[in-house]
Amino acid sequence: MKRFLFTLCLLSLPLLAQDTSLHDYLIEGEPWKEAAGGYAFTDGLCCDKDGNLFFTDVKAGKGIYKIDATTGKADLFLDNLPGISGLQIGPDGRFYACHNKEQRIIAITMQGEVEVLLTGVKCNDLVVTKKGNLYFTETPTLSVHLITKDKKHVVADTGHVQKPNGITISPDERTLAVSEHGGKHVWAWRIEDDGTLTGGAPYMTMWLPVGKDTASGDGATTESNGRYFVTTELGVQIFDPAGRLAGIIAKPSPEAKVVSVEFAGKDRDILYIAAGDKIFGRKVKVKGYF
C-alpha cells in the first residue's frame, strides 16, 4: 500500500463512495444465520489457521469459546478466563487477549498457560501483526498502545481518538485503523518499521444514526483486498482502502447490538458478528485477511 499523507485533505473525503452497492460483498439469498446463542454479551471474535472461530462472553462467560469450522458446533475451549474483551491469535500460535476484567494484556497457549504482558490498563480490543507487535485500545484514557515484539510498552497515541475501540490493520501491515466509539471517525496511522505510529488522522467517516452525533464504532477487521469492516449502531460499515464508505451491512435485527466482527470458516468467507447473546454468520463473496 502506498504511503498515506494522512494529514492532507482527508476530511474532504465524500461520506459515500459513488458505488454504495453491496453486490460485491453479499450473496443473494444468504442472510444472517444464528451460529451460537445462550450467552450474555458475546465479543472478541478471532480465527485460527483452520478457520475455527473463537469468541468470549464478557459478562457471564467462563473463558474462550470455539465454533468448529467443520461441524459448526460451539463449545467452551479454554476455561477459567472470564472477562476477556479483545482476542486474536498471534504468529506464535498463542491467543493474545485484552483481559479487561483484570486490567491486563495476556498471552495464552492453546493449553491455557497464561503469560502476563502488561498490567494496570483498561484495555478494550487488540490486534497482533505478523512481526509480533501488538496494538491495543484503552477507551477511557483515549489511548492507543503498542507492545513491541520484544515486550516494550509504548503509548502510541493519546488524546485524539474519541473513545478508541475496534482496531485492525491493512494486509500489508503498514496501516493501523481504530474506530471511535464516542465519535464518527475511524482513525488511521502509518506503521513504521519499528512498530511506532505516525501521521494519525480521522481517515474514514462512519454514517450516523438519525439524530445522533456518534456512530458507536466498535469491533473491526480487514478483508484480503484491504477493505475495513467496522461494527456500528447502524450495522457493519465497509470502507475501501482510500477511506470511502462502500456500504453498510444491516444488522440481523434492528434491536441487535453488534460489537465484534471477523471472517472465519475453512475458506475465510463467512462473516461473523457478535451481537449481544448470540453469534451470527453469513457467507460472503470476500475473504478475511487474518
Side-chain angles (χ1 to χ4, degrees):
M1 187 178 290
K2 296 180 180 179
R3 285 181 175 269
F4 289 116
L5 297 178
F6 287 127
T7 56
L8 296 178
C9 302
L10 294 179
L11 295 179
S12 65
L13 285 171
L15 188 61
L16 274 174
Q18 289 183 351
D19 180 12
T20 58
S21 170
L22 293 173
H23 176 75
D24 292 338
Y25 312 101
L26 301 184
I27 299 172
E28 186 176 354
E30 286 284 344
W32 290 115
K33 299 175 183 177
E34 183 177 329
Y39 303 93
F41 190 90
T42 57
D43 202 354
L45 302 186
C46 75
C47 179
D48 69 7
K49 61 181 178 60
D50 296 319
N52 300 304
L53 183 77
F54 298 88
F55 65 97
T56 65
D57 182 354
V58 180
K59 291 185 177 179
K62 295 180 178 181
I64 298 173
Y65 298 84
K66 172 186 173 182
I67 297 178
D68 189 276
T70 301
T71 66
K73 185 179 179 181
D75 284 307
L76 181 64
F77 183 74
L78 288 179
D79 204 349
N80 300 316
L81 287 166
I84 290 174
S85 56
L87 192 67
Q88 191 186 328
I89 298 173
D92 59 359
R94 294 191 295 176
F95 290 107
Y96 286 82
C98 288
H99 201 185
N100 188 282
K101 180 181 175 69
E102 302 295 334
Q103 296 189 7
R104 62 182 186 172
I105 302 292
I106 58 176
I108 316 158
T109 68
M110 291 293 163
Q111 293 72 42
E113 299 164 335
V114 174
E115 179 187 0
V116 178
L117 303 178
L118 187 65
T119 60
V121 287
K122 298 176 181 178
C123 48
N124 186 308
D125 202 358
L126 57 73
V127 67
V128 185
T129 71
K130 291 179 180 178
K131 289 183 177 180
N133 291 322
L134 184 154
Y135 300 89
F136 71 91
T137 53
E138 190 177 24
T139 307
T141 65
L142 311 185
S143 301
V144 179
H145 298 251
L146 161 67
I147 300 176
T148 65
K149 58 184 177 181
D150 53 359
K151 301 180 182 180
K152 294 180 181 178
H153 173 226
V154 178
V155 179
D157 188 273
T158 189
H160 296 112
V161 188
Q162 297 304 306
K163 296 185 178 180
N165 198 313
I167 187 167
T168 190
I169 52 175
S170 59
D172 65 359
E173 302 203 338
R174 282 298 189 180
T175 304
L176 182 78
V178 173
S179 67
E180 288 185 330
H181 194 71
K184 62 180 181 180
H185 296 114
V186 179
W187 283 65
W189 295 262
R190 166 83 178 177
I191 300 175
E192 301 298 339
D193 291 341
D194 62 356
T196 57
L197 304 180
T198 59
Y203 189 60
M204 310 168 214
T205 302
M206 297 176 281
W207 260 28
L208 303 176
V210 176
K212 294 189 177 182
D213 57 5
T214 62
S216 299
D218 211 307
T221 194
T222 313
E223 57 92 43
S224 58
N225 292 315
R227 300 180 184 96
Y228 301 97
F229 285 59
V230 183
T231 65
T232 69
E233 188 170 336
L234 291 177
V236 181
Q237 302 198 24
I238 306 171
F239 297 89
D240 68 20
R244 297 170 298 192
L245 180 63
I248 302 174
I249 303 175
K251 300 182 291 185
S253 63
E255 66 275 6
K257 181 177 176 59
V258 182
V259 300
S260 187
V261 59
E262 187 59 279
F263 291 90
K266 290 183 177 180
D267 296 318
R268 303 294 195 283
D269 60 352
I270 299 177
L271 184 68
Y272 285 96
I273 54 172
D277 61 343
K278 297 180 177 66
I279 302 289
F280 291 90
R282 67 188 304 163
K283 192 173 179 65
V284 292
K285 294 181 179 179
V286 295
K287 299 183 178 183
Y289 161 63
F290 295 105

